[in-house]
Amino acid sequence: MPLAAAGCATTAITAPAPPTTPAVNVAARGETDAVGTANADAADDPAIWRNPADPTASLIVGTDKKAGLHVYDLTGKDLFFIDAGQVNNVDIRDMGPAGVIVAASDRNDRKQAKIALFRLDTASARLTPIGIVPAGAGEAYGICLYRSGDRLSAFNVIKDGTVRQIDLDLSGATPTGRLVRSMKLATQSEGCVVDDRTARLYVAEEDAGLWRFDARADGGTTPVRIAAVDGERLVADAEGLAIAAEGAADGGYLIASSQGDNAYVVYRLSDDAYVGRFRIAPGKVGATEETDGIEILTGDFGPDYPGGLFVAQDGYNPPKAQNFKYAAWDDIKAVLGIR
């Protein structure tokens, strides 16, 4: 990605070729403070923790892949930063007595993938490192967590398309991991997300498309393709993935970042059917461009986000460094005409 002219705190944008399937526009309702690394492609992936007692006190964890992890509130204020080095993607699961666990793909060593684990103190908005778990050879790129009962596993997506499932043990003073199985996509992959309700893992192969795996440890390793990168609906790179869980056990939507044309594509979870495309356009805050990671969590987040919160990395945020934009799930559903 080319750098902007001297003095600009972000990267330049190359206008994408318009796809044949148009996208509808929605305006963001908020944005975070910029990440600390200027003049670079630095912000990457967000994760959301919803406060069930006070939704307006919910938190967003976002990566600066050059430096570490930020914790933001719903106003976008940067509450806390931890120097974790080069962490690329991030995910969160509330593990009850074990605490709110944050996992990040640690690519400080490009030849040996690792998973960096933290505990989020939701009262103080602080992250405490609890350990590093090895994840095998290769460059750690994507990560997503899967909770099944009291068990937690991480899917670590290696840059070459290898996907490793690591069973995490948080019971000791230092967490440990056990390789459960490996899966493989043909080319570079990154974004992933697990629907804990249905035990389905979704992975984005950047230049090829979206795939679905069985997330269970004893499940099959053959992927099912949901959508191709076709330049019409999904434009390379296919990047971040997020699940908007609603209704029935398999109800809701899968959202993918169509980075090549600054859009997001929505698919129905129950049958993988294409639903529509949207963009975050300028409004109260700026638009989003060249989005890497995304996240969505349905439910009440207070008066600004009563039906759910969608967070998207913004790759072009002049005159400041990159940041994350917030949109209301209700607004997205309205412009797409879905309920």
Side-chain angles (χ1 to χ4, degrees):
M1 191 181 295
L3 291 179
C8 183
T10 186
T11 52
I13 293 297
T14 301
T20 58
T21 304
V24 292
N25 289 336
V26 63
R29 295 191 180 191
E31 65 179 337
T32 69
D33 292 334
V35 298
T37 303
N39 297 307
D41 179 26
D44 196 273
D45 191 43
I48 302 169
W49 173 76
R50 179 180 174 274
N51 187 328
D54 180 6
T56 61
S58 299
L59 300 170
I60 292 85
V61 178
T63 61
D64 178 335
K65 63 188 176 186
K66 309 290 187 183
L69 294 165
H70 293 267
V71 181
Y72 305 99
D73 65 15
L74 286 188
T75 71
K77 182 179 179 181
D78 191 351
L79 303 175
F80 179 76
F81 172 77
I82 187 167
D83 181 354
Q86 299 179 51
V87 287
N88 200 50
N89 281 190
V90 65
D91 204 2
I92 290 177
R93 286 294 187 277
D94 187 338
M95 295 305 295
V100 177
I101 303 300
V102 174
S105 52
D106 184 329
R107 61 200 291 246
N108 287 291
D109 181 345
R110 294 291 199 271
K111 295 182 178 180
Q112 294 295 324
K114 297 179 179 67
I115 300 167
L117 294 171
F118 307 82
R119 188 170 284 112
L120 175 63
D121 183 329
T122 57
S124 66
R126 295 180 66 86
L127 290 165
T128 301
I130 57 175
I132 303 288
V133 174
E139 182 179 344
Y141 225 43
I143 197 166
C144 50
L145 294 174
Y146 167 43
R147 178 175 180 174
S148 178
D150 61 357
R151 295 183 61 183
L152 183 67
S153 56
F155 289 94
N156 198 190
V157 181
I158 306 303
K159 193 172 183 178
D160 69 358
T162 301
V163 183
R164 298 192 183 107
Q165 184 172 6
I166 310 292
D167 192 25
L168 299 173
D169 184 350
L170 306 172
S171 61
T174 302
T176 59
R178 179 179 63 88
L179 177 63
V180 175
R181 58 185 180 144
S182 293
M183 297 161 280
K184 185 71 171 71
L185 295 174
T187 61
Q188 183 168 311
S189 306
E190 181 178 1
C192 71
V193 66
V194 179
D195 189 339
D196 292 348
R197 305 170 305 164
T198 59
R200 289 178 172 178
L201 163 69
Y202 300 86
V203 182
E205 187 179 3
E206 294 186 359
D207 292 332
L210 310 181
W211 301 88
R212 171 167 49 82
F213 292 90
D214 189 330
R216 295 171 294 185
D218 59 353
T221 58
T222 301
V224 175
R225 190 164 76 173
I226 294 172
V229 169
D230 58 6
E232 297 179 1
R233 293 174 174 174
L234 187 61
V235 181
D237 292 343
E239 287 282 347
L241 296 176
I243 286 175
E246 290 189 330
D250 64 348
Y253 303 90
L254 174 71
I255 306 175
S257 170
S258 178
Q259 189 184 70
D261 72 316
N262 306 328
Y264 310 94
V265 191
V266 181
Y267 304 88
R268 193 164 50 234
L269 287 170
S270 59
D271 58 3
D272 302 331
Y274 168 79
V275 173
R277 292 162 34 86
F278 69 96
R279 288 192 177 93
I280 295 181
K284 178 182 176 182
V285 299
T288 59
E289 294 89 7
E290 295 190 350
T291 294
D292 285 312
I294 59 174
E295 182 61 292
I296 187 167
L297 202 59
T298 57
D300 178 22
F301 282 83
D304 289 335
Y305 309 98
L309 173 67
F310 176 75
V311 182
Q313 182 260 2
D314 184 9
Y316 186 65
N317 186 47
K320 299 178 180 179
Q322 296 177 347
N323 72 346
F324 301 89
K325 299 295 195 290
Y326 298 168
W329 177 229
D330 287 346
D331 292 346
I332 295 168
K333 290 199 294 183
V335 297
L336 291 172
I338 59 178
R339 296 183 178 181

